[in-house]
Amino acid sequence: RALHRQECRNGAIMGRIVPPDMVSPFDRLTYPARQTARVAWYAGHYAAGRRLLKPMPKPDFPVGPMPDRAELTADLRGLFEREWQDIAAGLFAAPTLPGPDPAELLRRSALYFRDLPKVDARRHGGINDEPNRDDANGHLPRYYRQNFHFQSGGWLTEESAAIYDTQVEVLFTGTADAMRRRALKPIAEWLQGRNQRELRGLDVGCGTGRLLAFLHGAWPGLRLTGIDLSTPYLEEARRLIGRTARVKLEEAAAEALPFDDGSLDLVVSSFLLHELPKKVRPEVLAEMARVVKPGGLVVIVDSIQKGDKPDWDGLLDLFPYYFHEPYYTEYVGGSVEGWCESVALRPVAIERAFLSKVAAFTK
């Protein structure tokens, strides 16, 4: 297995597709087992957590059509099946991102359940601005100083950084990482024939570093930078990725990227755009377009939008109501493709990945 990994890495550095026969029998066995275990673990958290929460407040507005559980489950399975097909076809190696050891996994699970009653109290009390009351956060943009998802600390505390990934995986029933990883397909296709050691990439709003870590694991030759406004989240990203000269982490705002025009080959972001106000979002997209080279690639992973899966539009109506997402409704009413085309980014690949959309653009 170690030899298999090294051969895959060598091929990735030189921009070659991993040959299908390099997919190990171990991967064929463990990939479905690992994904099934993730879904079961986080679905169990969701079921247990519902018992700790008060009934959700009923919406006082029209709600669109909703999928049933069988439809959601079938679509979830399809997400994993597509990823395995890409792995088996040699687009990239099976993901090997290290998880926390069992003791740490249980610790974070306990932290998640400990925070749930506080989340519920904010939801029913309409409290969402605690980070704005802390003078230590005064240097940050006002739109950022909120209890997104009603979670404790917003994005701005060590405690929040420690349980954020658990919270998101519970929300998406263990599929958040898999949805992020759908960005690897258009990147793998774009990288063919390129030498990763000569390329620079950027993750805008990298958070705890999940997508950044997957990129580094798939193509260790890439020189990557992750920027975020949260120091605790950047520290969590460093713990996840480990010490390496190939990945740098910087505190910076997405609407003022600290890079020269046309200085980057690859720009990615995941679950960022729906957290931005209507005024800020075009500034961020214009910055992405500014810093990427002509012929470079921009890949955005974010929530599906109205019309991407019309029979699921009701989910998009309810999400910002149950979780503090002040800019989500405006986001789902728009078009990532249209916004990017307005800043001279041409779409090259669009894929719906369960509850997310993966959109790739070239400049």
Side-chain angles (χ1 to χ4, degrees):
R1 181 169 172 79
L3 177 61
H4 160 71
R5 288 292 176 205
Q6 187 58 48
E7 288 171 334
C8 289
R9 278 174 168 249
N10 290 342
I13 289 170
M14 295 310 297
R16 298 193 301 269
I17 288 182
V18 179
D21 59 3
M22 292 300 298
V23 178
S24 73
F26 184 80
D27 287 334
R28 294 182 187 278
L29 226 77
T30 60
Y31 176 84
R34 283 186 285 121
Q35 306 313 320
T36 299
R38 284 179 64 84
V39 170
W41 174 255
Y42 291 111
H45 278 60
Y46 180 85
R50 291 293 305 142
R51 299 176 182 178
L52 300 176
L53 303 178
K54 299 176 183 177
M56 291 288 195
K58 293 184 178 181
D60 56 359
F61 52 84
V63 176
M66 300 276 287
D68 59 27
R69 181 177 298 180
E71 185 179 359
L72 284 170
T73 300
D75 207 88
L76 180 153
R77 288 174 178 163
L79 171 70
F80 293 124
E81 288 170 1
R82 291 200 304 278
E83 179 171 61
W84 176 250
Q85 288 168 4
D86 289 340
I87 294 167
L91 275 181
F92 43 82
T96 58
L97 186 64
D101 61 44
E104 179 64 12
L105 189 67
L106 290 173
R107 186 184 78 86
R108 296 190 181 208
S109 177
L111 289 174
Y112 166 78
F113 283 112
R114 189 181 304 166
D115 193 50
L116 265 185
K118 301 175 186 176
V119 171
D120 205 38
R122 292 188 193 92
R123 176 182 292 120
H124 289 276
I127 300 168
N128 54 46
D129 66 342
E130 291 170 342
N132 188 49
R133 305 174 196 171
D134 188 342
D135 292 340
N137 299 327
H139 64 291
L140 296 168
R142 174 64 185 93
Y143 71 82
Y144 194 72
R145 306 194 303 266
Q146 302 187 53
N147 297 92
F148 289 95
H149 300 187
F150 291 114
Q151 73 179 42
S152 300
W155 309 139
L156 295 168
T157 64
E158 292 181 4
E159 293 77 13
S160 168
I163 61 175
Y164 170 79
D165 291 315
T166 301
Q167 291 171 322
V168 173
E169 289 291 2
V170 171
L171 180 64
F172 291 120
T173 325
T175 64
D177 274 350
M179 291 190 291
R180 290 186 186 100
R181 288 196 302 266
R182 293 313 295 157
L184 300 187
K185 181 178 182 179
I187 294 172
E189 293 169 342
W190 174 80
L191 281 171
Q192 292 177 36
R194 290 179 165 90
N195 185 339
Q196 277 76 47
R197 293 195 179 279
E198 298 175 354
L199 303 178
R200 295 180 65 199
L202 170 68
D203 186 352
V204 182
C206 67
T208 60
R210 304 296 293 186
L211 178 56
L212 199 59
F214 286 124
L215 291 174
H216 178 60
W219 299 290
L222 281 172
R223 289 178 294 162
L224 298 167
T225 301
I227 67 107
D228 201 274
L229 282 170
S230 173
T231 299
Y233 276 59
L234 290 171
E235 292 172 351
E236 184 69 21
R238 177 52 68 203
R239 282 190 287 271
L240 175 69
I241 297 166
R243 296 292 167 183
T244 169
R246 285 283 165 181
V247 181
K248 296 181 179 180
L249 297 168
E250 300 179 15
E251 186 175 333
E255 57 269 39
L257 295 176
F259 298 92
D260 294 335
D261 296 0
S263 59
L264 301 172
D265 302 279
L266 171 68
V267 177
V268 301
S269 80
S270 60
F271 305 125
L272 169 68
L273 296 188
H274 76 269
E275 306 282 13
L276 300 174
K278 181 179 180 179
K279 179 181 177 181
V280 176
R281 192 181 304 118
E283 296 175 2
V284 170
L285 291 172
E287 280 291 274
M288 292 182 185
R290 177 184 66 80
V291 300
V292 75
K293 296 177 181 177
L297 191 70
V298 175
V299 183
I300 294 170
V301 182
D302 215 303
S303 167
I304 55 175
Q305 296 175 293
K306 289 290 184 77
D308 289 335
K309 183 74 171 171
D311 291 345
W312 293 15
D313 278 357
L315 293 174
L316 310 186
D317 293 327
L318 289 176
F319 181 61
Y321 182 69
Y322 291 144
F323 302 90
H324 180 57
E325 287 284 6
Y327 314 115
Y328 186 83
T329 298
E330 188 272 330
Y331 163 84
V332 297
S335 165
V336 169
E337 300 92 319
W339 296 332
C340 286
E341 287 191 66
S342 71
V343 293
L345 294 174
R346 178 174 60 85
V348 294
I350 307 291
E351 176 190 349
R352 185 182 62 81
F354 191 39
L355 295 165
S356 296
K357 174 162 59 177
V358 182
F361 305 85
T362 189
K363 179 177 175 181

